[in-house]
Amino acid sequence: MKLFKIIYFGLLLIVCSCKTLNTNLSIPEREAPTSFSKTSTDTTSIAKINWKDYFADEHLISLIDTALVNNYDLQMALQRIEIARSGVRFSSGELFPKIDGNIAAGSTKYAKYTESFAGNSTTEFEGKGIPNPVEDYFLGLTATWEVDIWGKLRNSRKAAISNYLASIEGNRFVMSNLIAATAIAYYDLLALDNELETLEQTIKMQHEALEVVQLQKEVGKANELAVQQFQAQLLNTQALKKNTLQQIVETENRVNFLLGRYPQPIERTKEKLFREVPQQIAFGVPSQLLLNRPDIREAEFQVQASKFDLKAAKAAFFPSFNIGAAIGFQAFNLKYIFQSRASIGYAASGGLIAPLVNRNALKAEFNRAKANQLTVMYNYQKTILNGYVEVANELSNIQQLRDIISLKSQENEVLENAIVASKEFYRMAKANYLEVLMAQQNSLQTKLELIDVNKQQQIATVNIYKVLGGGW
């Protein structure tokens, strides 16, 4: 009776102490804006457009298709899904009894001055004494089952399911980033192709200018200094061309790396760099990011998983109810094991196991799960905020780049006219060679800047598609 009371009060103490383990955690949440723009509340978003329709470039589409099959980061993300799926299967199996086939054989020799020896030496079975050592053979089934009274195993399974769903969203996030990275590298390559073409045209023009100056020197209308300046400018442009050729090689290799293949030529059309960008981009409303962006969805499932993990950690403080059973053939001699039904034996047991001494380890695990839940909750809020900021930045970037392109186009036109005028004035001795050199240098710089701005604009259209949640 005293033992029963001790057990009762021990269990009561455990249950009461567990009431202090709070699993209802919360953090301050900042309310997200209702729109990205004060003048627009349209819910249409380009994130819903399939990436093949969005990019509409057959060469780029082919590259992305190859990347989605061969890219190593994506393959690793797929394996993380398989790992999470196996975790779900394992946690689901923990809910059911474990039944094992058991074949066992043993031998025990009792020391002479023991209770077992004394008992066996005076016991006869079918007219014979029990041998010493005595053999023991068993062939049958054993089963164990932890009855999930407090929901520990069910919560572990729910956590595994949430982690599995998070891994799927993680894979989609990798896919979205891969598509964007491939497109960005592709536009880098188109820009370099156009830079190379511009440099080659400039080199041709500078060759012609150098020949003119050399002829003028021969007739006494120019000096050696002018020839050297024109020649130096030509050499500088030729060096820029070599540098651009190296960048093209490296960028092609970067694309091939994303595609999971060794270096090979990349098919492309350099004119695609200047494809028209829509004047209006449908960006929807901030609340759609919760559904469209896979990184936010992944963070949300991680929060769910952490909540179930915390509940499972709390349930570990409660007594666990275990049931065990065994049935099979058993005998101390193999010739008896299948002789009759008398060789069939069985056993059944059940009991509560309550943690009493090692509670510090359970508290440490609970505190770990609690800190992990708070961490992923903060990460969820951070991911939402980051998504909003990224969209706001790209929307502003697209507008500014559109204006810059307009200005740079006008500047380029003015400087091309300045080159023509400077050459004519130089022939008429109304301008010196430095003015011609300056006009050529300024024109080249502006053309390269215009190419770069067009590249930035195309990359901005890739980024806005990605940050709105497109590409998976």
Side-chain angles (χ1 to χ4, degrees), residues 166-372:
S167 69
I168 293 176
E169 297 300 334
N171 176 70
R172 291 170 175 170
F173 186 56
V174 172
M175 184 185 300
S176 177
N177 283 335
L178 174 60
I179 290 173
T182 304
I184 289 171
Y186 178 74
Y187 287 124
D188 282 338
L189 199 52
L190 298 189
L192 289 169
D193 288 341
N194 282 279
E195 287 180 14
L196 180 63
E197 182 182 46
T198 298
L199 290 170
E200 288 175 341
Q201 292 173 352
T202 303
I203 288 171
K204 181 180 178 181
M205 180 182 65
Q206 289 175 347
H207 262 299
E208 294 173 353
L210 177 60
E211 291 174 355
V212 170
V213 172
Q214 288 174 333
L215 289 174
Q216 288 184 334
K217 178 192 171 186
E218 293 176 1
V219 298
K221 292 186 178 181
N223 55 32
E224 179 62 22
L225 180 61
V227 173
Q228 291 176 350
Q229 291 291 336
F230 275 92
Q231 189 174 15
Q233 186 185 58
L234 174 60
L235 293 171
N236 178 69
T237 307
Q238 289 174 330
L240 290 176
K241 176 184 174 181
K242 293 295 183 181
N243 182 62
T244 302
L245 287 171
Q246 177 59 26
Q247 290 184 56
I248 289 174
V249 171
E250 293 178 1
T251 307
E252 279 188 325
N253 290 341
R254 175 154 57 96
V255 173
N256 283 310
F257 178 78
L258 290 171
L259 271 57
R261 67 189 189 188
Y262 287 97
Q264 58 183 273
I266 303 295
E267 292 188 20
R268 70 261 192 187
T269 305
K270 62 178 179 293
E271 289 77 17
K272 290 287 186 179
L273 182 70
F274 304 101
R275 72 183 181 97
E276 187 176 353
V277 174
Q279 289 295 318
Q280 296 295 329
I281 293 180
F283 46 81
V285 294
S287 60
Q288 291 175 311
L289 297 180
L290 303 180
L291 299 175
N292 294 336
R293 281 188 57 135
D295 57 333
I296 295 179
R297 291 164 61 89
E298 180 185 16
E300 181 182 4
F301 284 122
Q302 288 173 344
V303 171
Q304 293 179 10
S306 69
K307 290 181 179 180
F308 293 126
D309 280 334
L310 186 61
K311 291 180 180 179
K314 179 178 180 179
F317 285 87
F318 294 97
S320 58
F321 181 40
N322 295 281
I323 297 175
I327 185 171
F329 298 95
Q330 187 173 19
F332 61 80
N333 192 315
L334 278 175
K335 70 179 182 179
Y336 298 126
I337 197 165
F338 295 120
Q339 236 181 32
S340 66
R341 292 183 179 179
S343 296
I344 297 177
Y346 62 86
S349 63
L352 286 172
I353 301 176
L356 294 176
V357 177
N358 196 29
R359 292 173 62 82
N360 285 336
L362 296 178
K363 289 180 180 178
E365 176 60 22
F366 179 83
N367 290 333
R368 184 205 64 79
K370 183 177 179 180
N372 180 64

Side-chain angles (χ1 to χ4, degrees), residues 133-152:
V134 61
E135 311 296 333
D136 185 21
Y137 301 97
F138 178 81
L139 174 62
L141 301 174
T142 58
T144 57
W145 183 29
E146 180 180 350
V147 183
D148 192 27
I149 300 175
W150 315 108
K152 179 179 68 175

